Amino acid sequence: MTELTPVTESTAIKADAPKTMAMPDAQTVTEVKHYTDRLFSFRCTRPGTMRFRSGEFVMIGLMGDPDPKTGKVKPLLRAYSIASPSWDEELEFYSIKVQDGPLTSKLQHIKVGDEIILRPKPVGTLVHDALLPGKRLWFFATGTGFAPFASLLREPQTYEDYDEVIITHTCREVGELTYGHDLIESLKTDELLNEVIGEGFWKKIKYYPTTTREESPKMGRITDLMRSGEAFADLGVPPLNKETDRAMICGNLAFNLELKAMLEDYGLEEGANSDPKHYVVEKAFLD
């Protein structure tokens, strides 16, 4: 999730309150990686009682600045997809940096040992339970919308349920593809996953990164490449079919709406946790 997903929080604490009170639901940052001047990822401790399904999101944040009149401090919270899989002992997040954003202007400066607020109540639509059984699973992402798929790409059920997994990632510049590229490459040498899921499980993945501004091996918006048939030809697969294909979408609002319409044209129907169908969209995400 990103800075464009505002969430109100009524909890207010006086600025001179003890630190333990000023950081409710605190978790400790264990790792920070910066990819570009707009993108970074970080890992933090995971509450011992927290359970979630790969693909879900939680509310995370920091304490805001003191109110000039009352001196009280309110938490700044935003919805963030959990990029780590459900079995991981820590939590991982992938974020944009908005220089004047209420939260990310502060969050981008966190260091190992710092604390963040984490509300351990995961929710979301990008979960396997919301889809009917199928043969091929498509992940469609723009920008930091790759995060929930980073979780699902490391989830054993993904490979138990599908014969093929296609992940498309459209960004403006090549550097913005680094997080996704590195994660997928790491699957090849991940001893734990290769042991649990099966040696060579990663061969089921077809990775299709594209850029829209900076020159790269594959240029263009994924929707345009699908519409022209180029994407299907490159991937060596037929156009989407509701009998075999399932899809998850996580990107900016315009992308989500355009892709939803395309999938509907292919005959796919939108599902939900309570009503599994052919595809789902993460409505809480705005890149």
Side-chain angles (χ1 to χ4, degrees):
M1 310 305 156
T2 74
E3 194 67 9
L4 299 182
T5 312
V7 176
T8 58
E9 174 59 57
S10 59
T11 304
I13 302 170
K14 289 191 175 181
D16 59 356
K19 185 178 180 181
T20 54
M21 289 181 60
M23 287 292 286
D25 298 318
Q27 298 299 319
T28 303
V29 175
T30 60
E31 180 181 278
V32 181
K33 290 184 179 180
H34 293 271
Y35 297 94
T36 71
D37 60 355
R38 294 187 65 251
L39 298 168
F40 73 107
S41 69
F42 63 94
R43 292 174 66 85
C44 69
T45 54
R46 173 177 175 172
T49 58
M50 181 179 174
R51 299 291 181 268
F52 70 93
R53 294 176 294 176
S54 294
E56 291 186 315
F57 65 88
V58 290
M59 306 302 298
I60 66 172
L62 298 168
M63 299 305 296
D65 296 323
D67 184 285
K69 294 182 178 179
T70 65
K72 292 183 177 180
V73 180
K74 293 183 178 181
L76 292 171
L77 300 175
R78 299 292 184 268
Y80 269 75
S81 292
I82 304 172
S84 48
S86 60
W87 51 263
D88 201 322
E89 294 182 354
E90 294 187 333
L91 298 174
E92 180 180 331
F93 300 96
Y94 184 40
S95 177
I96 61 170
K97 306 175 185 178
V98 180
Q99 300 310 318
D100 58 351
L103 176 58
T104 59
S105 61
K106 301 175 183 291
L107 192 63
Q108 64 183 293
H109 299 298
I110 58 172
K111 303 181 296 298
V112 172
D114 288 348
E115 291 185 334
I116 65 165
I117 303 168
L118 185 144
R119 298 284 193 255
K121 295 181 180 179
V123 292
T125 57
L126 301 183
V127 294
H128 286 304
D129 294 347
L131 295 176
L132 294 170
K135 175 184 177 182
R136 185 181 298 112
L137 178 60
W138 292 76
F139 293 143
F140 294 104
T142 62
T144 52
F146 191 93
F149 305 138
S151 174
L152 287 158
L153 284 167
R154 290 177 279 186
E155 170 57 52
Q157 186 180 348
T158 300
Y159 307 94
E160 295 170 4
D161 291 355
Y162 298 93
D163 298 331
E164 196 168 35
V165 180
I166 299 175
I167 170 73
T168 80
H169 192 200
T170 300
C171 296
R172 292 178 296 182
E173 301 173 357
V174 175
E176 297 172 347
L177 296 169
T178 303
Y179 175 81
H181 172 271
D182 289 355
L183 185 142
I184 290 174
E185 284 297 308
S186 72
L187 298 179
K188 300 176 182 179
T189 56
D190 191 309
E191 294 182 2
L192 175 61
L193 285 178
N194 276 278
E195 179 180 346
V196 173
I197 302 175
E199 192 70 31
F201 75 92
W202 48 269
K203 294 178 182 179
K204 286 189 174 185
I205 300 172
K206 288 188 175 182
Y207 175 47
Y208 198 66
T210 71
T211 57
T212 56
R213 292 188 184 178
E214 185 178 0
E215 190 72 27
S216 72
K218 178 58 63 173
M219 299 283 295
R221 300 165 67 247
I222 184 60
T223 47
D224 292 337
L225 294 168
M226 290 170 63
R227 196 171 286 113
S228 69
E230 187 173 344
F232 302 118
D234 290 340
L235 291 164
V237 298
L240 279 77
N241 183 305
K242 70 176 183 179
E243 300 301 324
T244 56
D245 295 280
R246 303 294 175 260
M248 296 185 178
I249 307 170
C250 191
N252 60 65
L253 182 59
F255 172 79
N256 288 357
L257 293 175
E258 182 179 7
L259 199 46
K260 271 171 56 72
M262 290 184 68
L263 295 185
E264 297 282 346
D265 287 342
Y266 284 118
L268 278 65
E269 299 176 56
E270 184 173 0
N273 283 273
S274 59
D275 186 22
K277 290 291 179 62
H278 309 110
Y279 78 91
V280 286
V281 183
E282 187 52 88
K283 298 178 175 62
F285 181 89
L286 291 174
D287 180 44

